């Protein structure tokens, strides 16, 4: 998925990671700090900081001071950042519309049921049985 996003956003001189950070900033109800962006995305602050530095260098995000916390500036999109994110979002909506046209309502209902079941607990790693050579090793062995 990341490679697909890199390919899709390349026309706008972005990567998946930068596209996602632009989206997190754009969708925030108010200008977010790096920790808020990281929490919203479920990634590390360091990862967001790296992408923010690149976005600032590209003129897509300014780094205004946060008057309440000097070390945690609030981030917004510049006019250029809004234009690029808007253009990419428009392309994404067109692409998704084309994809959706290929599916029947029953297909989409099935996908929703599967994804809903997975999100309710299908990702509990402790519940996943381990098989193969790793299962035969005792804990602590390498």
């Amino acid at each position: 998925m990341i490679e697909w996003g890199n390919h899709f956003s390349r026309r706008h001189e972005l990567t998946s990671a930068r596209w996602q950070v632009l989206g997190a900033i754009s969708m925030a109800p108010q200008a977010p700090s790096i920790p808020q962006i990281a929490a919203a995305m479920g990634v590390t602050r360091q990862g967001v900081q790296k992408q923010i530095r690149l976005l600032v260098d590209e003129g897509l995000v300014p780094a205004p001071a946060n008057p309440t916390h000097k070390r945690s500036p609030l981030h917004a999109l510049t006019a250029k950042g809004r234009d690029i994110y808007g253009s990419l979002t428009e392309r994404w909506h067109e692409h998704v519309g084309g994809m959706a046209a290929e599916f029947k309502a029953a297909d989409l209902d099935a996908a929703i049921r599967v994804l809903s079941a997975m999100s309710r607990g299908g990702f509990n790693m402790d519940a996943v049985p381990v098989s193969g050579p790793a299962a035969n090793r005792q804990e602590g062995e390498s």
Side-chain angles (χ1 to χ4, degrees):
M1 292 295 274
I2 290 172
E3 283 305 314
W4 185 92
N6 287 338
H7 178 76
F8 190 81
S9 61
R10 186 175 299 134
R11 178 187 303 178
H12 302 277
E13 299 180 10
L14 292 174
T15 62
S16 278
R18 283 183 273 158
W19 179 16
Q20 291 171 12
V21 171
L22 287 178
I25 294 169
S26 178
M27 291 186 270
Q30 55 199 10
S33 65
I34 286 173
Q36 290 168 328
I37 296 167
M41 293 177 62
V43 298
T44 66
R45 291 187 312 267
Q46 295 83 357
V48 172
Q49 178 65 49
K50 176 183 176 185
Q51 300 309 316
I52 289 287
R53 276 194 301 266
L54 294 167
L55 292 166
V56 167
D57 290 347
E58 294 167 1
L60 304 179
V61 173
N66 178 350
T68 62
H69 196 289
K70 300 291 184 210
R71 293 182 54 190
S72 189
L74 301 177
H75 298 280
L77 303 182
T78 63
K80 180 180 176 184
R82 285 189 302 275
D83 289 346
I84 287 177
Y85 184 72
S87 177
L88 187 51
T89 299
E90 187 176 315
R91 267 187 66 226
W92 169 246
H93 285 215
E94 290 170 9
H95 180 74
V96 169
M99 286 175 40
E102 297 177 21
F103 296 101
K104 296 177 183 156
D107 298 331
L108 298 174
D109 289 341
I112 290 169
R113 281 193 309 278
V114 169
L115 293 172
S116 294
M118 291 173 71
S119 69
R120 282 193 301 270
F123 291 108
N124 178 354
M125 294 304 289
D126 294 331
V128 176
V130 177
S131 60
N136 298 328
R137 285 191 228 141
Q138 295 295 321
E139 194 167 309
E141 288 182 26
S142 32

